Amino acid sequence: MYGSIYGDLAGSIYEFEQLKEIKSIDNGGYLSDKSFFSDDTILTVAVCAAIKDDKDYDKYLRKYIIDYMDYKPDFHPYFRSSFSPNLIKWAKSDLEGHSQGNGAMMRISPVGFLFDSEDEVIENARLATC
């Protein structure tokens, strides 16, 4: 879990740049003064909070999206917001959601960290990504 958050911070300053062209990354100092957390870290923490409280993943994902929907790192260039408009729309609705992006896999590291049995990990990974 800590590794996924650290990786999010380390890669944050390269994410937008890589959309334009593939460049080599200087790994001399993994974190820089410009490093920031992204929506992936926010939702990882939401999943962790859900596990610690009542395992209502849907409630916590919605809460954290709404709480952080205006968060935008002071980094140029960056996306217009941390979350996509469709994800914010879902968080404000009562619609059932189905994750279709790579974010689902990025945010479930707390599941492996906080559950001991393979059955618990499989079931809670499913619940956290539906």
Side-chain angles (χ1 to χ4, degrees), residues 57-104:
Y57 299 106
D58 190 69
K59 175 177 80 176
Y60 277 86
L61 290 169
R62 289 175 194 270
K63 177 188 179 336
Y64 276 68
I65 291 165
I66 291 168
D67 287 353
Y68 286 91
M69 70 181 179
D70 294 325
Y71 164 73
K72 183 178 176 200
D74 186 21
F75 182 77
H76 183 77
Y78 190 68
F79 306 103
R80 291 185 184 157
S81 72
S82 289
F83 299 104
S84 73
N86 284 337
L87 190 61
I88 292 170
K89 184 178 174 182
W90 169 79
K92 292 179 174 183
S93 76
D94 59 356
L95 298 173
E96 187 175 315
H98 297 286
S99 186
Q100 297 176 0
N102 66 351

Side-chain angles (χ1 to χ4, degrees), residues 6 18 25-26 33 45 48 86 90 115 122:
Y6 189 88
Q18 299 293 36
I25 295 174
D26 175 18
D33 293 340
V45 172
C48 185
N86 284 337
W90 169 79
F115 290 100
I122 291 169

Side-chain angles (χ1 to χ4, degrees), residues 17-35:
E17 251 183 46
Q18 299 293 36
L19 294 176
K20 296 181 181 185
E21 64 183 87
I22 296 175
K23 298 178 181 179
S24 63
I25 295 174
D26 175 18
N27 286 335
Y30 292 106
L31 297 182
S32 84
D33 293 340
K34 295 179 181 178
S35 294

